[in-house]
Amino acid sequence: MTSVVSSPLRTVRIGSRKSQLALVQTYWVQEQLQKSFPDIKFEVHTMSTQGDKILDVALAKIGDKGLFTKELELGMINQEIDFAVHSLKDLPTNLPEGLTLACITERENPADALVVHEKYKDKQIDTLPEGAVVGTSSLRRLAQLRHHFPHLQFKDVRGNLNTRLAKLDAGEYDALILAAAGLQRLGMGDRVHQVIPKEVSLHAVGQGALGIECRAEDHEIISLLKAIEHPPTRDRCLAERAFLRDLEGGCQVPIGVNTELNGDNLTLTGIVASVDGQNLVQDSVSGKASDAEKLGNELANLLRQQGAQEILEQIFTEIQRGS
Ligand code: DPM
């Protein structure tokens, strides 16, 4: 008698937050991997993170790095999941021991977008009237927009995208600033009223890209994930992340970036701003894409020479005081 021994179907467990955006992103990753590796079963396991539970406190005041990632990271360390899909901008630049950023996927438009209430459909960010109420919980957006448009009012806004849009439509805000990428991924790209130009506001580090984290020793998973990596996005994001790491900025500091890749030449621009938008330093560096992280460090040094450290220290003191 011949027995056919088929190799057991290997199952890979993908960890994700439960938010609508997180799930859209995770299902996309699952689908891509399933296509590349039909003999492996990719399963999605959802988890709530601290950031999903605390919805009524301004993000900057919680002050914890890894707000949206910690529970997933524990899941990897405890072998409950094999890798986790994050919005790269929510992934701290220093990962817990034993974990690695194994893959960065192709970036959507990394810019911020202006979304307006119906009554301002003929306005742009620079033509909104005096006192118009703009909703954002990002210190980065706040600082840069205050700098250019001190006549606008800024108000905290939390909750998922639908909640925020409902508050806007109900008239609680005149406009919102949101990542263009999030709106696009949720099929709400038509709500993007204006893409904010980089001359007005630089985007967050890693914005628009997904970052996939796994156990550093798990070479099998790491090699699977290479199938969906996008090397140009990876180079850009590694430069951005090295810049942020070097300045010891968490996710919630007024630090913005822009990267451009022409062939092998990478240009990284960065800004550090005070929360009131009064004090801001900005500069750029260029070099080989293969030196991405070095470029990030170089830019951090340049901005430190121009006073970035003092601006950041002031902000950390204010946040600790709870102001
Ligand atoms: C981080 C920030 C925000 C998110 C801070 C910043 C925005 C907070 C807010 C680090 N994470 O950008 O300066 O405005 O209240 C977040 C969004 C996305 C991932 C939503 C958004 C989608 C875009 C992406 C929240 N995290 O920025 O509008 O995947 O890059």
Side-chain angles (χ1 to χ4, degrees):
M1 206 176 93
T2 53
S3 73
V4 180
V5 182
S6 62
S7 62
L9 189 67
R10 160 114 163 82
T11 301
V12 169
R13 299 152 305 169
I14 312 178
S16 176
R17 290 174 52 206
K18 290 178 186 167
S19 78
Q20 202 188 353
L21 179 61
L23 283 173
V24 166
Q25 296 177 164
T26 302
Y27 290 142
W28 179 83
V29 167
Q30 180 190 30
E31 194 187 322
Q32 300 308 307
L33 287 171
Q34 197 64 75
K35 266 193 247 163
S36 302
F37 305 102
D39 294 337
I40 298 176
K41 184 173 175 221
F42 294 93
E43 257 176 26
V44 173
H45 292 242
T46 59
M47 297 182 174
S48 296
T49 64
Q50 201 191 353
D52 298 307
K53 293 170 196 156
I54 314 172
L55 288 177
D56 50 350
V57 183
L59 280 181
K61 290 184 189 151
I62 303 171
D64 191 10
K65 294 181 190 173
L67 198 59
F68 293 110
T69 55
K70 212 174 269 169
E71 284 78 1
L72 291 162
E73 289 172 334
L74 271 176
M76 285 183 273
I77 291 165
N78 297 334
Q79 310 273 342
E80 291 156 16
I81 53 172
D82 297 307
F83 66 82
V85 181
H86 309 285
S87 274
L88 184 57
K89 78 166 173 168
D90 292 325
L91 183 65
T93 54
N94 288 312
L95 304 183
E97 185 146 344
L99 298 180
T100 189
L101 174 55
C103 170
I104 298 177
T105 64
E106 184 167 6
R107 183 176 235 177
E108 298 260 356
N109 185 345
D112 287 334
L114 178 74
V115 182
V116 294
H117 187 272
E118 240 275 310
K119 69 182 176 200
Y120 289 129
K121 65 176 191 299
D122 298 328
K123 303 287 186 202
Q124 301 268 288
I125 186 73
D126 57 347
T127 52
L128 283 172
E130 165 111 42
V133 178
V134 178
T136 178
S137 299
S138 151
L139 293 182
R140 173 185 61 80
R141 292 169 178 153
L142 178 67
Q144 296 183 83
L145 293 173
R146 263 188 185 152
H147 176 77
H148 291 282
F149 311 111
H151 60 285
L152 299 177
Q153 272 188 66
F154 296 93
K155 197 167 130 187
D156 244 323
V157 57
R158 290 289 320 270
N160 64 33
L161 227 66
N162 286 318
T163 312
R164 292 183 188 206
L165 291 171
K167 288 179 181 174
L168 171 72
D169 295 336
E172 243 181 88
Y173 300 86
D174 295 315
L176 298 174
I177 309 290
L178 296 167
L183 287 163
Q184 280 160 2
R185 289 206 185 102
L186 287 177
M188 294 191 267
D190 60 334
R191 296 294 311 245
V192 176
H193 181 70
Q194 179 191 8
V195 172
I196 306 283
K198 61 178 191 295
E199 292 71 25
V200 168
S201 182
L202 297 184
H203 61 74
V205 163
Q207 188 160 313
L210 307 185
I212 306 183
E213 189 183 17
C214 72
R215 289 180 292 274
E217 301 306 319
D218 200 339
H219 304 293
E220 190 194 347
I221 295 289
I222 293 172
S223 80
L224 294 180
L225 292 172
K226 288 297 162 207
I228 58 169
E229 170 125 292
H230 189 251
T233 303
R234 182 176 180 96
D235 289 342
R236 291 170 62 187
C237 291
L238 288 184
E240 296 172 11
R241 285 173 64 80
F243 168 65
L244 182 63
R245 183 185 300 125
D246 198 323
L247 288 175
E248 292 176 55
C251 295
Q252 287 298 328
V253 283
I255 295 182
V257 290
N258 182 68
T259 41
E260 272 160 37
L261 193 56
N262 291 306
D264 188 37
N265 190 65
L266 181 63
T267 300
L268 170 67
T269 302
I271 195 167
V272 177
S274 62
V275 178
D276 61 8
Q278 295 290 310
N279 200 353
L280 97 212
V281 290
Q282 174 170 344
D283 216 325
S284 295
V285 294
S286 286
K288 282 203 294 225
S290 50
D291 290 333
E293 297 199 293
K294 254 207 283 198
L295 288 173
N297 297 334
E298 207 181 295
L299 183 62
N301 277 331
L302 262 182
L303 290 190
R304 255 194 299 271
Q305 286 161 23
Q306 298 168 34
Q309 204 63 41
E310 290 69 24
I311 296 176
L312 291 173
E313 272 158 23
Q314 174 76 30
I315 292 165
F316 294 140
T317 316
E318 278 165 20
I319 289 176
Q320 267 159 18
R321 271 204 226 111
S323 62

